[in-house]
Amino acid sequence: MKFRFYLSLFIAKIIYKILKITKLSSGTAIIGLITLKICPDFLTFANNHILKSQINITGTNGKTTSSGVLAHIIKKNNYSLFYNDIGANMLNGIVNALALQIKPAKKADYSVIETDEAFLEKVYEKLNSDYLLVTNLFEDQTDRFANPLFTKNLIQKAIDKKPNIQLILNADEPISASLKALNKEPIYYGIENIYDENNNLIITENLNYECPICKKQMNYSKTFYSQIGHYSCSCGYNRPLPKYSANIYLNKNNSIIKINEEEFEIPLIGQFNAYNALSAIVLAKELGLINIKDAIKDFKVAFGRCEKRILNGNETIIQLIKNPVGTNEVLKTIDLNSNFLIALNNNAADGTDVSWINQVEFERLSSSTKEFVVTGLKCDDMAIRLSNAGIKNIKKISDINSALKYVGENSHGKITILTTYTALLKIDKNKELKKCF
């Protein structure tokens, strides 16, 4: 079987080169599929090529950003790692990333593997893991995940396969905070207060959210967004005490995370990204990594996660949207003076049910006087939703590349692109969209 493992490494790299030359596919799934056909125990053998710690990161929102920040800190500490950096987080995508990075004589200090919630159990059947970071659990892709409690049960089944795993959990998110490993207590992180750029405390409305344990309405002393906050329930389930507690200061171009007297400046905006970065900082501390403060300053976001590009000379911000909670948080950060392109697909990787857009507060954009271009497979649905939100100036261009061309030629100033996953992959390949250096 070891021969099959080395053969699969060789063939994976050959296929990748062919796909790169022919441009027939990005290879994120097909290479993994072929690798597993050649060597079904590929992940078992891959364990032998990781020297220190194996880390998985899962959850509804923030997996890619949290993984990216942690991987960046590890590299800045001069350690090597295997990492599925393009975010292909299902089984074939994970195998693909490892098959292309592992060499027969090459080992890495760490692995940082972003993992889809539904595939975590399957991954843990073969791959070892020392740490599992769970970012949060929200409603997402209802065709795959019936509800967040269903998703939690999928993750718990995976955890049960690794009784000695160290969980890193968001104390402020009641569903994921209730996960348990058999032999180790979780390590919790949380936020005490969030301040805006004028140092004013950000206060949101009181929440009505069911306890994940007993289904009664919980009480909140502080609320941040969705079900995230400081909660307690009459059944005895309360927000766990965080080992790492932070205050967050949000600015237009960055955020400050303050843990005790230690400040971390991150080039990310929004409450959701503060949680993402905080989770990575916490895990880095648990790994004993140093110089975290310096390492995090020059972190570059993954594609589509508040990524900056240039389209026909216009500064362009690209934001991935995929569910109500995440999209609502993104909308809080948007410049209403920008031009808008919204791309909505409903392929399998996006989630085939797009009714979630009806739960998004697009009314936040209704004061904009700019044109809203909608594109993608479900652009008609998006146009109707925007119209219902009170937005008047809407233009439909179903072809994504044509829509990009139109927006680039007719915009004078900043452009904001909101896009679902498979549309993002197409946008990323568009030659007119230049990278910023």
Side-chain angles (χ1 to χ4, degrees):
M1 285 297 292
K2 203 167 187 179
F3 169 76
R4 283 178 171 268
F5 175 70
Y6 291 129
L7 177 63
S8 70
L9 294 179
F10 175 75
I11 292 177
K13 293 171 178 59
I14 293 296
I15 295 172
Y16 176 73
K17 288 181 179 178
I18 293 171
L19 292 176
K20 197 170 183 181
I21 292 169
T22 59
K23 298 181 181 178
L24 292 174
S25 166
S26 62
T28 57
I30 189 65
I31 293 174
L33 179 65
I34 294 171
T35 299
L36 287 173
K37 288 288 185 183
I38 298 169
C39 182
D41 288 326
F42 177 87
L43 290 178
T44 302
F45 288 104
N47 290 314
N48 299 324
H49 288 259
I50 301 158
L51 300 172
K52 291 182 179 291
S53 296
Q54 298 191 47
I55 301 142
N56 291 87
I57 298 179
T58 195
T60 304
N61 288 348
K63 296 186 290 289
T64 300
T65 300
S66 299
S67 300
V69 174
L70 179 61
H72 183 72
I73 295 170
I74 290 172
K75 290 175 184 176
K76 284 288 186 174
N77 275 262
N78 296 316
Y79 289 112
S80 58
L81 81 157
F82 299 134
Y83 166 44
N84 54 337
D85 57 341
I86 61 173
N89 56 29
M90 297 183 183
L91 181 63
N92 289 340
I94 291 168
V95 171
N96 168 85
L98 292 173
L100 295 180
Q101 293 174 47
I102 294 174
K103 297 177 182 177
K106 180 183 177 181
K107 296 187 178 183
D109 297 303
Y110 296 96
S111 66
V112 176
I113 305 298
E114 175 188 335
T115 312
D116 180 273
E117 304 94 291
F119 283 85
L120 188 64
E121 183 180 10
K122 201 162 188 66
V123 168
Y124 277 0
E125 288 175 358
K126 303 283 186 179
L127 193 67
N128 295 336
S129 186
D130 301 291
Y131 294 88
L132 173 63
L133 166 63
V134 185
T135 57
N136 47 59
L137 292 174
F138 301 128
E139 183 177 306
D140 181 56
Q141 294 191 29
T142 53
D143 55 314
R144 295 180 62 221
F145 305 109
N147 55 57
L149 289 175
F150 174 84
T151 312
K152 177 205 162 183
N153 290 334
L154 291 178
I155 296 173
Q156 187 63 61
K157 286 180 181 179
I159 293 169
D160 291 343
K161 293 184 178 295
K162 305 291 180 185
N164 294 315
I165 197 167
Q166 180 63 70
L167 298 179
I168 310 290
L169 303 176
N170 182 354
D172 300 342
E173 198 284 282
I175 301 177
S176 58
S178 65
L179 291 165
K180 296 292 181 184
L182 183 62
N183 294 336
K184 284 188 179 180
E185 287 296 314
I187 292 170
Y188 297 100
Y189 63 92
I191 290 176
E192 287 303 309
N193 293 297
I194 302 177
Y195 301 88
D196 65 18
E197 59 186 0
N198 296 316
N199 215 33
N200 296 317
L201 190 65
I202 295 176
I203 300 173
T204 57
E205 296 179 2
N206 289 331
L207 298 177
N208 291 311
Y209 199 81
E210 288 185 353
C211 173
I213 307 301
C214 73
K215 306 297 188 296
K216 294 178 184 176
Q217 290 292 319
M218 294 190 295
N219 297 312
Y220 279 82
S221 59
K222 291 181 182 178
T223 57
F224 298 127
Y225 65 93
S226 188
Q227 71 262 30
I228 290 183
H230 294 192
Y231 51 86
S232 62
C233 183
S234 59
C235 75
Y237 179 61
N238 302 319
R239 174 185 184 252
L241 182 66
K243 180 178 177 180
Y244 298 91
S245 187
N247 284 300
I248 306 298
Y249 301 84
L250 302 177
N251 301 305
K252 285 185 179 179
N253 298 312
N254 62 18
S255 302
I256 303 295
I257 297 175
K258 190 173 182 180
I259 304 174
N260 296 324
E261 297 305 312
E262 195 173 12
E263 290 190 358
F264 302 87
E265 180 184 336
I266 60 170
L268 300 168
I269 59 174
Q271 298 181 53
F272 60 102
N273 273 325
Y275 271 102
N276 296 337
L278 174 60
S279 70
I281 291 168
V282 166
L283 192 36
K285 283 180 169 291
E286 288 297 312
L287 292 172
L289 301 176
I290 59 174
N291 301 323
I292 299 172
K293 188 183 299 186
D294 292 333
I296 208 169
K297 282 183 180 179
D298 62 353
F299 168 70
K300 298 292 189 297
V301 296
F303 80 106
R305 275 72 173 184
C306 201
E307 180 190 16
K308 291 184 179 180
R309 294 279 191 97
I310 301 295
L311 181 58
N312 198 29
N314 300 295
E315 179 184 314
T316 302
I317 305 294
I318 307 174
Q319 293 271 33
L320 175 69
I321 58 172
K322 63 171 190 159
N323 56 46
V325 172
T327 306
N328 283 333
E329 288 305 300
V330 165
L331 293 184
K332 293 177 184 178
T333 70
I334 282 178
D335 183 353
L336 292 177
N337 292 316
S338 66
N339 303 276
F340 289 92
L341 172 64
I342 304 180
L344 180 65
N345 276 355
N346 68 330
N347 292 311
D350 305 296
T352 56
D353 180 6
V354 298
S355 63
W356 62 269
I357 64 174
N358 295 311
Q359 300 174 52
V360 175
E361 299 168 3
F362 285 111
E363 288 77 6
R364 284 179 173 272
L365 308 180
S366 61
S367 62
S368 172
T369 59
K370 300 291 187 177
E371 183 175 54
F372 284 74
V373 177
V374 293
T375 187
L377 298 174
K378 304 296 284 185
C379 64
D380 289 338
D381 296 68
M382 183 55 73
I384 292 170
R385 176 65 190 100
L386 293 181
S387 179
N388 290 339
I391 294 168
K392 306 295 184 187
N393 197 1
I394 303 168
K395 184 178 182 64
K396 291 189 291 185
I397 305 175
S398 58
D399 179 70
I400 291 173
N401 287 325
S402 298
L404 273 170
K405 183 177 177 62
Y406 174 86
V407 171
E409 290 176 348
N410 291 276
S411 296
H412 304 285
K414 186 182 289 186
I415 299 170
T416 295
I417 298 177
L418 305 176
T419 174
T420 52
Y421 182 69
T422 61
L424 173 61
L425 295 177
K426 192 163 188 177
I427 289 168
D428 185 55
K429 293 178 181 178
N430 189 285
K431 293 181 179 178
E432 294 186 32
L433 203 59
K434 309 296 182 185
K435 292 192 175 182
C436 297
F437 296 100

